[in-house]
Amino acid sequence: MSTQKISSQHQFVAYAFIILFMCLGFVPNWGAVDKIAPQWLSMSILNSLAGIWILIYRKELGDGFREVSMRWVSLCYFAFIVWAGLSYFYAINPTEVLLNLGRQFNTFFMFFFVAIFLQFIPNKIRFSSVLLSAILAIEVYAVLDQVLGMYQTNTFSSGNVKGVTANRNITAFSIAGKIPFALYLSLVFAKKIWKTSMTVLVFLSLFCLTFIDSRASYIAILLLLTVFTGINILRYRMNKSSKLPIWQTLYLIIPILLAVGTNQIFFSGNKDGDLVKRAATISVTKADGSIKKRLRYYRAVAKQVTSSPILGVGLGNWKLKSIYYDRNDIVGYIVPYHAHSDFIQLGAELGILGFLLYFGIFVITGIYLLRILARKDLSDETLVFYGICLGYMGIYFIDSNLNFPIARPQVLAPLTLVLALVSWKGNPAPKENSRLRKLTVPAMVLPLLFVLPTVYVNNMAYKSLQSQLVLLRDFNSNQYSLTLTEVENALPWIPNITVTTIPLASVKARYFYNAKKYDRALELLDEGSSANPYLFYSEIMKAQIYRDKGIRDSALHYSKKAFYNLPGNALHASVYMSQLLEVGDLKEVEAIYDKVIKGRNESLVRNYFAIVVNMNPPRTKSWKDKISKAVEMFPNNADLQSFRRIIALSPEDSQRANELSVQGQQLYAQKNFFDAIQLFEEACQLDPYQYQHFENAGLSYFSVGDYTRALQKLDTVVNVFKAPGGKSEYVKALVYINLGQQDKACEWFKTAALAGFEQAKTEYRNRCVK
């Protein structure tokens, strides 16, 4: 094929297809809830057109098809897909296997067709670098334009910086992964204008990363700097007559320093966007919430692989099984959709063999790169480029182990281009084989046989995500904007779960439940339980239906099942607790306390104790400890304060304490402070859960000059009750004034003022502001 005359027609088509593949990230959401749906659909259409073109020109392209087919990356990738396809027969949700298998096929054939088309590109390296740098420039412009708008309106938030992608982490790694190619061009371009342009692009890209605040991208850039430095040292050792390669390391170092400096000019001290502050939070300890969460996900994967090392749970099914492992930490229906490591997630889905096959693609590519870099006959420009590719693969590897690029066409497209470039250079062409030559033309039909059905599947998924935009909006706002007829016809058969893993049949069932069409709702909920047996949304819906139908045993059964399998969900807990209230099962209410309190959901904890109070529990130490822990957790919740007094105090003690407090206030008004103190102290003894008794006692002690006891009572109000309003803080300031401790007094005047106590504001201005 290398001696074959390259026609201008094939060259034009090759350029067109590669450019279109690389631009998949710019496909908008087109009315879908997630833009990956139209992007996967676009990829499958492009693959189908490429497959048709290659089939039409099979004589001219047959040799290239055969060469790409026999390369080790292709063989390993295809073996991975075949193994993944077999998971359909044992998966939790086979429909998800079909959807995700189609995506894997399309990613593979995108690589396959790009590799074939590259043979028609005269200067593959320059073309690929220019193309990726041009896309990088558009992405950087999108980010800077968005940030400038935020900055001008004083609404900047790093979490909202998305550029052309769906979230900041995708944006960050999409930019980081293309920086190596702009860096390469800044070295090899001869004209100063282009060299300067690429250097500026590298700087602007790094500047974008500084305020996107994706910490993993900082690690990626550090790795790129390490690889780039290593490549330049290698170049210097190969040609010691020039120190230029060493100095060229500054092409990355200087933009990094400028990006950091510019970031500090614009964002220093901001809670968002300050690179130095954000980078300082990078850690590998469990104290970091993000690290802690990822470690929890990794442990879950390890348990799954250990329990099922051969088969796994099925391609695309980890998002279902992960719910089981993370059930005690899930809040609402926010599930660990990804394991945040593509490699180990595939191990959980496809077993150890699936993991090894997918990981093997990258191992083979790494070996190719090392083999290329070890060659003595490489030109300096080629050495730099493949060194840069090594840096790119390192960045992608970091992304794959912290995020989930396998699900994002925008990130996968450049990967397939790099795999194809490395494969051509690092894998020697296979020897001619007459048998394989005879099989080439029939084999060229296979891509279409695999890809064409995925156009249908991806189109169904795209239509589903369009409908999900409405269905999920209704779900999240508890609305019912569709008629039952519209609901019945709203969704295609694939996928059968939402982008948040809620069974679509169960989402449809809520409309029938609202219309009191209980039989149809129950039919749909049975389908939903099969689609996702770990979320238990279907079960909680069944509980509500049986409750409304007056079938108490079934309502209790399904609500209990839903709660115990997802206790952090407020709906599950509320429905189950209401059923326990109906049957008067106080023992079970007490048994679920730890599960309720663990979620630290204030509304849920408040509702729990509202039910407890209605069940008139005994005034035991156990119940007093439970309500006290809840009050300590949410000190500003007035309802919990009231519930504590009801649970811990007898009505007689509560009433008597209130009477004593009223009498004490009357005595205080008459300036009979000592008698008032006695009544307030007695009220504190009878009702130690009402901060006003302690505050009144502290004020009375202050009035008689007993500052030690005054501070004791006031500290209880401030530190134990954490009472609002700032009154106790103000009185503490007055105590310190009388003790001659001006600095402490000013501290407490300021604290009281910030809490909203008006007199404290005046005193602080008069006494403390110079």
Side-chain angles (χ1 to χ4, degrees):
M1 188 66 183
S2 60
T3 59
Q4 182 176 331
K5 182 179 178 180
I6 300 175
S7 71
S8 59
Q9 181 185 38
H10 285 312
Q11 190 176 104
F12 173 79
V13 170
Y15 278 123
F17 269 112
I18 293 175
I19 291 171
L20 289 172
F21 276 128
M22 294 307 110
C23 289
L24 281 171
F26 298 127
V27 176
N29 63 2
W30 285 338
V33 71
D34 191 331
K35 64 170 57 180
I36 65 168
Q39 288 178 359
W40 284 116
L41 176 60
S42 300
M43 187 192 295
S44 61
I45 292 172
L46 282 175
N47 276 326
S48 298
L49 294 174
I52 291 170
W53 179 267
I54 288 172
L55 188 60
I56 291 173
Y57 292 95
R58 52 191 175 276
K59 290 184 179 179
E60 295 91 334
L61 302 176
D63 289 348
F65 182 95
R66 187 172 60 258
E67 284 188 27
V68 174
S69 300
M70 296 308 295
R71 295 186 185 277
W72 281 109
V73 169
S74 301
L75 294 171
C76 189
Y77 210 147
F78 192 74
F80 163 73
I81 292 175
V82 170
W83 181 254
L86 294 175
S87 71
Y88 175 86
F89 299 102
Y90 60 78
I92 299 166
N93 185 332
T95 304
E96 276 298 299
V97 175
L98 292 178
L99 181 63
N100 285 275
L101 187 64
R103 293 173 177 178
Q104 290 297 332
F105 265 125
N106 274 289
T107 305
F108 168 71
F109 282 114
M110 178 166 60
F111 152 73
F112 193 85
F113 293 142
V114 165
I116 292 175
F117 288 132
L118 276 176
Q119 65 189 315
F120 295 104
I121 306 299
N123 192 331
K124 303 174 181 59
I125 291 176
R126 282 286 182 102
F127 165 71
S128 301
S129 298
V130 169
L131 174 57
L132 293 177
S133 296
I135 294 172
L136 173 62
I138 297 172
E139 293 180 359
V140 167
Y141 171 79
V143 170
L144 291 175
D145 182 60
Q146 184 182 15
V147 170
L148 181 61
M150 292 181 183
Y151 200 77
Q152 290 174 338
T153 56
N154 199 28
T155 58
F156 176 78
S157 171
S158 61
N160 292 328
V161 178
K162 299 178 182 178
V164 298
T165 72
N167 68 52
R168 71 178 181 182
N169 284 322
I170 300 172
T171 298
F173 272 95
S174 183
I175 290 174
K178 297 182 183 73
I179 289 176
F181 302 98
L183 180 63
Y184 162 76
L185 292 176
S186 71
L187 265 64
V188 302
F189 272 147
K191 291 186 177 181
K192 289 185 177 179
I193 185 171
W194 292 114
K195 187 181 288 285
T196 302
S197 298
M198 289 300 102
T199 304
V200 170
L201 180 57
V202 171
F203 157 69
L204 291 175
S205 302
L206 292 166
F207 178 52
C208 286
L209 294 183
T210 65
F211 54 71
I212 290 176
D213 273 1
S214 172
R215 293 177 297 178
S217 68
Y218 303 159
I219 299 172
I221 295 303
L222 182 61
L223 174 65
L224 175 62
L225 177 60
T226 303
V227 172
F228 186 55
T229 303
I231 291 299
N232 286 330
I233 292 173
L234 178 62
R235 292 169 62 208
Y236 168 71
R237 294 183 65 179
M238 293 175 68
N239 184 13
K240 292 187 178 180
S241 60
S242 172
K243 293 184 179 181
L244 179 63
I246 300 298
W247 286 107
Q248 284 181 329
T249 306
L250 295 175
Y251 277 75
L252 181 56
I253 293 176
I254 290 176
I256 289 175
L257 295 176
L258 287 174
V260 173
T262 308
N263 172 274
Q264 290 302 289
I265 292 173
F266 288 100
F267 296 99
S268 179
N270 288 9
K271 66 175 182 179
D272 274 329
D274 188 330
L275 165 70
V276 175
K277 281 190 175 181
R278 183 64 171 165
T281 67
I282 295 177
S283 108
V284 293
T285 66
K286 293 182 180 179
D288 185 303
S290 179
I291 295 293
K292 184 178 180 181
K293 182 167 65 175
R294 280 174 168 80
L295 289 175
R296 197 172 74 234
Y297 296 164
Y298 298 163
R299 284 194 296 270
V301 169
K303 289 179 183 177
Q304 175 58 39
V305 173
T306 302
S307 65
S308 183
I310 305 300
L311 298 181
V313 298
L315 183 67
N317 277 247
W318 174 249
K319 55 182 166 283
L320 305 179
K321 189 67 174 184
S322 67
I323 301 171
Y324 168 77
Y325 288 108
D326 209 47
R327 60 191 182 279
N328 291 319
D329 292 290
I330 290 174
V331 177
Y333 292 115
I334 303 173
V335 306
Y337 200 83
H338 298 282
H340 286 269
S341 170
D342 289 343
F343 299 109
I344 66 171
Q345 179 171 316
L346 287 169
E349 292 181 344
L350 303 174
I352 293 174
L353 180 58
F355 162 78
L356 291 175
L357 288 171
Y358 188 73
F359 189 61
I361 298 167
F362 297 87
V363 171
I364 292 169
T365 304
I367 292 172
Y368 286 171
L369 280 169
L370 293 176
R371 182 187 294 172
I372 293 169
L373 295 174
R375 287 169 57 173
K376 303 296 184 182
D377 59 339
L378 282 185
S379 67
D380 185 64
E381 185 174 323
T382 304
L383 175 63
V384 172
F385 178 77
Y386 284 102
I388 286 297
C389 286
L390 183 64
Y392 167 83
M393 292 302 295
I395 291 171
Y396 187 89
F397 188 77
I398 291 173
D399 193 17
S400 290
N401 280 287
L402 293 174
N403 298 305
F404 35 90
I406 196 172
R408 296 291 171 182
Q410 176 164 355
V411 185
L412 290 171
L415 173 68
T416 59
L417 178 58
V418 172
L419 290 179
L421 287 164
V422 175
S423 180
W424 274 112
K425 189 71 175 178
N427 192 179
K431 296 179 180 180
E432 283 293 322
N433 186 307
S434 58
R435 292 182 180 178
L436 290 177
R437 179 175 287 276
K438 291 179 181 178
L439 293 173
T440 299
V441 173
M444 293 176 81
V445 180
L446 291 178
L448 280 178
L449 294 179
F450 289 125
V451 171
L452 283 175
T454 70
V455 176
Y456 167 76
V457 170
N458 285 324
N459 187 45
M460 291 298 100
Y462 167 56
K463 289 181 177 179
S464 176
L465 265 69
Q466 284 181 308
S467 297
Q468 286 183 45
L469 194 64
V470 178
L471 291 170
L472 290 177
R473 184 171 61 224
D474 276 2
F475 181 90
N476 292 326
S477 60
N478 199 30
Q479 299 294 316
Y480 302 88
S481 64
L482 300 178
T483 66
L484 296 185
T485 301
E486 289 173 328
V487 170
E488 285 282 23
N489 300 319
L491 296 163
W493 66 276
I494 188 170
N496 58 6
I497 58 175
T498 70
V499 291
T500 54
T501 78
I502 302 172
L504 282 165
S506 302
V507 174
K508 292 167 66 173
R510 64 184 291 272
Y511 291 88
F512 289 91
Y513 166 63
N514 183 61
K516 301 190 185 316
K517 304 289 185 182
Y518 296 140
D519 290 342
R520 177 56 180 152
L522 288 170
E523 290 176 8
L524 289 167
L525 292 170
D526 285 338
E527 290 181 33
S529 295
S530 176
N532 186 349
Y534 299 106
L535 196 66
F536 294 93
Y537 175 70
S538 303
E539 283 66 27
I540 206 62
M541 284 289 294
K542 288 180 181 180
Q544 293 177 90
I545 290 173
Y546 287 121
R547 177 197 62 196
D548 292 356
K549 293 178 73 173
I551 307 175
R552 182 178 293 175
D553 289 348
S554 294
L556 186 61
H557 167 75
Y558 284 109
S559 62
K560 181 176 183 179
K561 188 175 183 181
F563 172 75
Y564 273 95
N565 284 283
L566 212 62
N569 185 287
L571 175 63
H572 294 195
S574 297
V575 174
Y576 183 46
M577 288 189 302
S578 67
Q579 292 304 303
L580 293 175
L581 176 61
E582 277 196 32
V583 299
D585 193 346
L586 182 61
K587 184 178 180 181
E588 175 64 6
V589 169
E590 186 171 12
I592 66 174
Y593 168 81
D594 287 335
K595 292 182 179 294
V596 171
I597 207 77
K598 181 181 179 181
R600 303 185 71 87
N601 183 317
E602 184 172 355
S603 176
L604 182 58
V605 172
R606 183 261 172 213
N607 292 341
Y608 173 84
F609 280 103
I611 286 175
V612 170
V613 167
N614 281 323
M615 299 179 80
N616 194 24
R619 292 180 180 84
T620 60
K621 183 179 183 301
S622 175
W623 278 115
K624 289 180 181 180
D625 290 344
K626 286 178 172 60
I627 184 61
S628 294
K629 182 177 180 180
V631 171
E632 182 180 344
M633 189 176 289
F634 306 109
N636 296 324
N637 191 297
D639 286 338
L640 288 175
Q641 297 276 5
S642 299
F643 294 153
R644 178 166 65 173
R645 296 179 66 231
I646 294 171
I647 291 172
L649 297 177
S650 68
E652 296 78 16
D653 286 345
S654 178
Q655 182 179 350
R656 177 59 180 157
N658 287 334
E659 291 172 354
L660 291 170
S661 181
V662 171
Q663 294 170 18
Q665 292 174 53
Q666 292 171 351
L667 292 171
Y668 184 87
Q670 297 167 12
K671 297 187 178 181
N672 190 350
F673 301 125
F674 288 103
D675 289 342
I677 287 172
Q678 290 181 354
L679 295 182
F680 288 137
E681 285 284 15
E682 191 175 346
C684 290
Q685 292 294 321
L686 288 171
D687 183 358
Y689 304 113
Q690 193 154 314
Y691 78 86
Q692 290 88 345
H693 302 328
F694 292 85
E695 191 170 68
N696 289 334
L699 186 57
S700 300
Y701 279 120
F702 168 74
S703 299
V704 299
D706 191 342
Y707 300 134
T708 301
R709 287 191 172 89
L711 288 175
Q712 289 174 352
K713 294 298 182 184
L714 295 170
D715 282 342
T716 300
V717 177
V718 173
N719 299 324
V720 178
F721 288 101
K722 296 180 174 61
K727 183 178 179 180
S728 290
E729 289 86 342
Y730 173 72
V731 179
K732 283 190 69 171
L734 295 179
V735 169
Y736 286 118
I737 286 289
N738 288 353
L739 291 173
Q741 299 180 32
Q742 179 72 15
D743 291 343
K744 282 191 175 182
C746 287
E747 289 178 14
W748 285 106
F749 277 135
K750 184 177 181 179
T751 303
L754 292 173
F757 199 75
E758 292 298 326
Q759 288 173 268
K761 297 177 183 178
T762 303
E763 292 290 341
Y764 182 74
R765 285 195 299 268
N766 294 338
R767 295 177 181 271
C768 305
V769 178
K770 297 180 180 179

